[in-house]
Amino acid sequence: MIDLYYWTTPNGHKITLFLEEAGTPYRLHPVNIGKGEQFAPAFLQIAPNNRIPAIVDTAPSDGGEPISIFESGAILLYLADKTHSFIPHDVRGRNVALQWLFWQMGGLGPMAGQNHHFVQYAPERIPYATERYVKETSRLYGVLNKHLGDGRPYIAGDYSIADMACYPWIVPHARQQQDLASFPHLATWFERVAARAATQRAYALAQSINTAPTVDAASQSILFGQDARTVR
């Protein structure tokens, strides 16, 4: 059994996408980050970076004590290896999937996240910052679009954790000021992932948990006002 600590954000969606695809039994523990629930001491024992998602595997493959894991990319890789699914088994294919997983973790997610912040949430408009992150998001969309232009149906050929990592960060493309029509190969891939039954189940689950914006006037200081004192 997997205990999933989750909220309805792109990083949270990555893990429900995997668990729904794999049919892995899991218990969902909502962590409302807009209300500061990510700072609860019990959660910090699992996720010391006070971010969702995190998991606890109560039945790890080594038969030992439960294993807790934070960071969405690490969770996807752990689950793929545990279930022997959604990651290529050959060394070349595996490395394609891992490169694009890390590309999302180090590029698409952080840059789109900064895009979200300066376009939607910053208390003052900063044209340089807005242009910087909107353009970098566009560049990253272009990188993925080019990669998908060789006719492969998914990022690593077959559907994998690379797709699960990237898709949730493309879902808010309009908020990121990106027009999918400008990225035709990416758009075709996006619709292909969206049509998967597990994708639809994962996003329906999110709607059943939360439909309110995570970031509002009351939550901005919780989400954006952190410094080193937060982790002491």
Side-chain angles (χ1 to χ4, degrees):
M1 176 66 71
I2 301 295
D3 285 307
L4 171 59
Y5 296 83
Y6 161 93
W7 196 241
T8 54
T9 69
N11 287 334
H13 295 321
K14 295 176 189 178
I15 313 307
T16 52
L17 285 174
F18 185 99
L19 294 169
E20 289 294 333
E21 286 281 355
T24 302
Y26 68 100
R27 289 184 290 251
L28 199 63
H29 302 271
V31 179
N32 189 330
I33 61 175
K35 293 183 178 179
E37 293 175 1
Q38 68 273 34
F39 301 112
F43 179 68
L44 292 174
Q45 290 295 315
I46 301 166
N49 195 38
N50 62 46
R51 298 287 190 274
I52 61 92
I55 67 167
V56 175
D57 183 357
T58 62
S61 57
D62 65 2
E65 294 296 316
I67 294 175
S68 61
I69 303 170
F70 70 103
E71 286 297 317
S72 58
I75 295 169
L76 285 174
L77 182 55
Y78 176 85
L79 292 172
D81 286 341
K82 176 182 173 70
T83 62
H84 305 289
S85 59
F86 302 110
I87 189 166
H89 299 302
D90 65 291
V91 66
R92 297 176 189 273
R94 180 181 175 90
N95 278 286
V96 171
L98 291 182
Q99 287 174 75
W100 287 96
L101 172 65
F102 295 158
W103 174 85
Q104 184 281 312
M105 292 293 296
L108 179 62
M111 295 302 103
Q114 293 298 323
N115 177 322
H116 293 175
H117 181 81
F118 286 105
V119 169
Q120 299 175 73
Y121 306 127
E124 59 183 286
R125 298 299 94 186
I126 305 174
Y128 175 82
T130 300
E131 182 180 28
R132 161 82 177 98
Y133 290 111
V134 169
K135 282 186 173 180
E136 180 61 8
T137 304
S138 174
R139 186 191 73 82
L140 292 163
Y141 273 47
V143 170
L144 184 54
N145 183 69
K146 183 178 180 180
H147 174 70
L148 293 164
D150 64 359
R152 68 184 73 207
Y154 296 108
I155 292 172
D158 293 331
Y159 190 62
S160 75
I161 56 175
D163 304 285
M164 299 174 193
C166 292
Y167 174 81
W169 282 99
I170 305 295
V171 170
H173 53 87
R175 291 166 53 197
Q176 297 165 8
Q177 299 187 8
Q178 305 301 315
D179 181 4
L180 286 190
S182 300
F183 308 97
H185 306 301
L186 186 153
T188 298
W189 163 85
F190 180 80
E191 293 303 325
R192 184 176 292 121
V193 177
R196 296 180 70 92
T199 303
Q200 295 173 21
R201 290 196 301 271
Y203 277 81
L205 176 65
Q207 287 292 306
S208 73
I209 292 171
N210 176 54
T211 57
T214 296
V215 181
D216 57 23
S219 64
Q220 286 205 27
S221 62
I222 295 172
L223 294 169
F224 305 142
Q226 301 174 34
D227 57 23
R229 291 169 295 181
T230 306
V231 297
R232 290 174 183 162

